[in-house]
Amino acid sequence: MKILISRENAGYWQKKGALAFRFDVNGKDGIIVSQGGRHTCLFSMGDKEMTRRKLMLLVRRMVSEAVAKKYKMIVVDFKQLRFPGITISDSELAELITVNLLMADFVFRDFLSKPKEGFSDVETVAVVHASGQDIKRGIERGTIIGEEANRSRHIATMPGGEMTPEILARHAKQSVKGLPVKYSVLDERAMKRLKMGGVLGVGKGSEAKPCFIILEYFGASDKKEKPVVLIGKGVTFDTGGINLKPSDSTLGMNMDMSGGAAVIHALAAAARLKLKKNIIVLVPAVENMMSGSSYRPGDVLRSMSGKTIEVQNTDAEGRIILADALTYAKRYQPSLVVDVATLTGAALVALGERATALFTQDEKLEQIFRHLGEESGDYVWPLPLWDEYDTEIKGTFGDVANVGKTRWGGAITAAAFLKQFVDDAYPWVHLDIAPRMTTLPDEFLSKGSAGAPVRLLVKLLEKFPS
């Protein structure tokens, strides 16, 4: 999709295959009006006040309507999208419009045969009645963020057979090619030297060997400034291991590396935006497979921290590999660590599919993340992380157990498990993105990965500390 900006209409209305939009209060909805060679789609706004959330969906819906009606060009009137009640600068509005146009345009088609008539795509968006450097900069920024969100969606949606830990590592390297980012990867031998028993234990059941991906970006003027560390769960396929998932539950488990995809592309966006921050990305990458060499229920794994993990369920593997990453992060003396993981089905039970579960014991960080979630469109909602929950993951034969003592509060006990490996060494936020792993029909995004929380992480990297 190509985005053009113009001070005037510049005749875009009259171009063949162009569709413009008009927004009316209580008017007809989705109707195409053709007059004088100009095709206009009417959207009814109802009588309710426009909000930032609704505006994002409105922009995506324009792409959806144009694709459904096979129009190749969208004409967007910038002035029409400046609704009363939304306080936002021209640059922010241009960025918001661009990000959501691009996200609505993305479709995963790697394995689809192209039809004879071609795919129905919007090729061009003309933003008219728009001028000035602020709008231009907003579109440029929005293009970078939208592209990286879509690249995260692309690799997260890739079938598990096409996205092993080694392939994910190669993708991470390719994602930062040409950017001032240092790439390295720890193989099994290096992880054994570091005593990463969590990653090695989970990964040993698969022929696809585990690895530990490291990306380092030093964009701050002071290269010794404490970095923000982003950790992403990189389970490229999750069978559940010996505690095998029911067959229906394995579908979609190629996206269990969505956290890893998100942090890789949030860093790529930050580097492309030339943010003045030091940022580290860590992705423990494994395939959780069942075989004769798989780790077992009842095994006790010794993590990099030295703490032992009593394995009560091999399908609670994500927290085990993140434990080693949280320990590894300490060597950077970070100003903040954020881990991102499709960690628990319990988070979906608690929140549905509309928001990421947010865990932190720092109230200021909680407020920052909630605000940036609203601003970016990657919404988050807090769940408790009280110290009282620590007793629920205390092990019998190991220091900590990888599941709670009861079936209740699974998202919380998973976060409590991770907290044991933070040890108050740094400010920490845990994002359980399982509720936002895939898109919903009313979001006007194609099926597959939702790309959460790339947009939120970019906003965080821009604005933290605040």
Side-chain angles (χ1 to χ4, degrees), residues 1-107:
M1 176 185 285
K2 185 177 182 182
I3 300 177
L4 310 173
I5 58 173
S6 173
R7 182 188 300 270
E8 306 296 338
N9 293 343
Y12 289 123
W13 311 105
Q14 308 298 330
K15 290 202 178 277
K16 184 178 179 181
L19 182 64
F21 292 86
R22 190 171 78 228
F23 314 114
D24 294 323
V25 175
N26 293 324
K28 294 181 179 180
D29 189 66
I31 303 299
I32 302 289
V33 176
S34 300
Q35 187 175 7
R38 172 174 168 173
H39 305 280
T40 304
C41 184
L42 306 180
F43 278 178
S44 173
M45 305 309 299
D47 56 1
K48 294 183 179 179
E49 184 180 10
M50 177 59 69
T51 65
R52 193 179 185 116
R53 287 188 176 213
K54 292 177 183 176
L55 180 55
M56 294 182 197
L57 293 176
L58 177 67
V59 172
R60 295 179 198 164
R61 187 186 167 195
M62 289 192 288
V63 177
S64 179
E65 291 283 348
V67 168
K69 295 175 172 63
K70 301 188 183 302
Y71 285 89
K72 295 296 185 183
M73 174 182 278
I74 291 175
V75 183
V76 180
D77 190 330
F78 191 80
K79 290 180 179 179
Q80 274 201 65
L81 292 175
R82 185 162 276 298
F83 292 96
I86 301 178
T87 304
I88 189 170
S89 68
D90 280 353
S91 178
E92 287 179 298
L93 179 58
E95 179 184 316
L96 180 150
I97 292 169
T98 304
V99 169
N100 285 281
L101 284 171
L102 290 172
M103 290 188 70
D105 181 59
F106 171 81
V107 182

Side-chain angles (χ1 to χ4, degrees), residues 336-352:
L336 173 66
V337 173
V338 182
D339 76 74
V340 183
T342 48
L343 207 62
T344 67
L348 283 108
V349 174
L351 298 177

Side-chain angles (χ1 to χ4, degrees), residues 323-447:
D324 282 342
L326 289 166
T327 300
Y328 191 90
K330 294 176 184 178
R331 62 182 54 202
Y332 293 100
Q333 298 182 310
S335 61
L336 173 66
V337 173
V338 182
D339 76 74
V340 183
T342 48
L343 207 62
T344 67
L348 283 108
V349 174
L351 298 177
E353 298 178 85
R354 304 286 176 178
T356 286
L358 165 68
F359 295 89
T360 182
Q361 292 187 313
D362 187 318
E363 291 185 9
K364 184 179 179 182
L365 282 173
E366 178 187 314
Q367 292 302 317
I368 289 172
F369 272 73
R370 288 179 63 180
H371 172 74
L372 295 180
E374 289 294 328
E375 193 174 302
S376 65
D378 278 329
Y379 310 122
V380 301
W381 195 255
L383 292 176
L385 189 57
W386 304 326
D387 290 340
E388 287 85 345
Y389 288 106
D390 292 354
T391 61
E392 300 191 30
I393 46 88
K394 184 174 177 59
T396 302
F397 302 108
D399 296 325
V400 290
N402 75 327
V403 294
K405 296 183 185 302
T406 72
R407 60 180 292 193
W408 312 117
I412 299 170
T413 53
F417 174 93
L418 295 176
K419 183 162 71 75
Q420 310 311 305
F421 299 89
V422 174
D423 291 328
D424 296 321
Y426 41 68
W428 170 64
V429 172
H430 164 53
L431 297 177
D432 189 337
I433 63 168
R436 294 299 304 137
M437 186 174 79
T438 56
T439 60
L440 292 169
D442 61 0
E443 293 180 302
F444 303 106
L445 298 173
S446 63
K447 288 184 178 181

